[in-house]
């Protein structure tokens, strides 16, 4: 079977650059949207050029120019969007509505992967303000995709390992302490941590897979379904030392919310749902979804322990 041609939107971003690498490594004809907004951001420009030297095609297009988007989409079979939806970086989820319009007009796309890659927004209708904006915006995009009859796959990648394992699941930390750790609640709620390179690998695997068509692909590597306490235990084993532990009740966790900037409030809400409510692992995947490590057992995913060795 011939491999699909892929257009990646947001190809210089945190996840996007990994998607480009994985797409190229898997032999897909890979196109990257080059937006004029990149301007003189030399690091992004250099990354785009390095991808071009590895065989990717750069396509000039802008979200402000509908025709350019339609023309870009017509070059490929599959569109993957990885523009940021994390408020601490930037939040552009609704920009994808322009992409949906272009895909609808082009009429040739076999699969669209919108920018999801986190908690499944369909399960977050009761999420707290202001954090729910992320989920609400993603659902607006889903509704547009489905109303336009565009074939899709949604990827629920759960927790990015770099953000969560690095900081032992503490908000505002991305490097693990060798002295102490703050446990959120009792520290026993399960979450799911996925190496960002593995997120890209599983996503690219799903492109031409009929089993993932019009479904949500959940990334749940079995060895990485862990509570915060279990993450801390892995780290303690690696450093051969027990950390001093204190706990933070949910009331104390939420207390400073009003004083924080909007972006931080959003992040705090997301941590709350993951670490206090266990929203990632407290449900069974139904008929609307598939689980990646079951579909692709050949992928040797990075376990939490293997991942954390980088911090030694």
């Amino acid at each position: 079977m011939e491999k699909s041609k892929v257009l990646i939107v947001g190809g210089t971003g945190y996840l996007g650059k990994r998607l480009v690498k994985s797409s190229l490594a898997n032999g897909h004809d890979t196109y990257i949207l080059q937006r004029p907004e990149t301007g003189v951001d030399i690091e992004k420009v250099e990354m785009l050029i390095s991808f071009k030297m590895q065989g990717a095609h750069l396509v000039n297009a802008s979200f402000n120019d509908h025709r350019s988007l339609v023309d870009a989409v017509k070059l490929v079979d599959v569109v993957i969007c990885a523009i940021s939806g994390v408020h601490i970086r930037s939040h552009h989820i609704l920009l994808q509505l322009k992409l949906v319009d272009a895909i609808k007009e082009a009429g040739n796309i076999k699969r669209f992967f919108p920018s999801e890659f986190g908690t499944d927004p369909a399960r977050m209708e009761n999420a707290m303000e202001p954090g729910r904006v992320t989920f609400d915006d993603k659902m607006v995009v889903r509704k547009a995709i489905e109303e336009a009859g565009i074939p899709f796959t949604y990827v629920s990648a759960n927790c990015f390992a770099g953000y969560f394992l690095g900081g032992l699941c503490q908000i505002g930390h991305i490097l693990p302490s060798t002295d102490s750790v703050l446990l959120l609640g009792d520290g026993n709620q399960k979450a799911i941590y996925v190496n960002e390179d593995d997120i890209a690998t599983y996503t690219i695997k799903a492109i031409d897979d009929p089993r993932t068509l019009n479904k949500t692909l959940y990334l749940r590597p079995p060895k990485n379904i862990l509570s915060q306490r279990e993450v801390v235990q892995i780290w303690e084993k690696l450093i051969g030392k027990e950390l001093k532990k204190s706990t933070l009740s949910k009331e104390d966790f939420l207390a400073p919310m009003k004083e924080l900037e909007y972006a931080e409030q959003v992040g705090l809400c997301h941590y709350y749902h993951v670490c206090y409510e266990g929203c990632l692992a407290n449900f069974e995947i139904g008929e609307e979804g598939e689980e990646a490590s079951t579909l692709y057992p050949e992928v040797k995913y990075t376990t939490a322990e293997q991942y954390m060795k980088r911090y030694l």
Side-chain angles (χ1 to χ4, degrees), residues 158 192-194 202 219-225 291 293 301-302:
N158 297 302
I192 305 163
Y193 313 96
V194 192
Y202 284 126
L219 275 46
R220 287 184 167 186
K223 288 183 179 169
N224 293 2
I225 304 173
E291 198 285 306
S293 64
Y301 67 84
T302 310

Side-chain angles (χ1 to χ4, degrees), residues 120-250:
D120 179 4
R123 297 186 173 274
M124 301 304 290
E125 62 270 12
N126 298 318
M128 66 168 66
E129 298 280 5
R132 63 172 304 140
V133 62
T134 308
F135 312 122
D136 290 346
D137 285 0
K138 286 178 176 178
M139 290 307 288
V140 168
V141 174
R142 284 190 179 195
K143 187 166 183 278
I145 291 167
E146 290 168 31
E147 284 180 354
I150 296 165
F152 63 84
T153 300
Y154 305 137
V155 179
S156 175
N158 297 302
C159 297
F160 285 11
Y163 279 96
F164 279 81
L165 293 179
L168 303 177
C169 313
Q170 301 168 101
I171 198 161
H173 296 261
I174 55 172
L175 287 170
S177 165
T178 52
D179 298 309
S180 60
V181 64
L182 185 60
L183 296 172
L184 304 179
D186 60 12
N188 289 325
Q189 291 286 1
K190 299 275 188 186
I192 305 163
Y193 313 96
V194 192
N195 176 348
E196 292 83 343
D197 292 331
D198 292 344
I199 295 172
T201 300
Y202 284 126
T203 302
I204 298 300
K205 283 256 178 203
I207 285 175
D208 290 319
D209 188 345
R211 297 173 297 178
T212 57
L213 180 62
N214 297 335
K215 289 200 171 180
T216 300
L217 181 67
Y218 294 94
L219 275 46
R220 287 184 167 186
K223 288 183 179 169
N224 293 2
I225 304 173
L226 302 163
S227 67
Q228 185 187 10
R229 280 187 186 274
E230 288 169 323
V231 169
V232 171
Q233 281 166 0
I234 288 170
W235 180 239
E236 289 174 332
K237 191 178 122 190
L238 288 173
I239 61 171
K241 177 185 171 188
E242 205 169 314
L243 301 186
K244 207 163 78 203
K245 297 173 188 71
S246 47
T247 58
L248 187 65
S249 71
K250 67 177 176 185

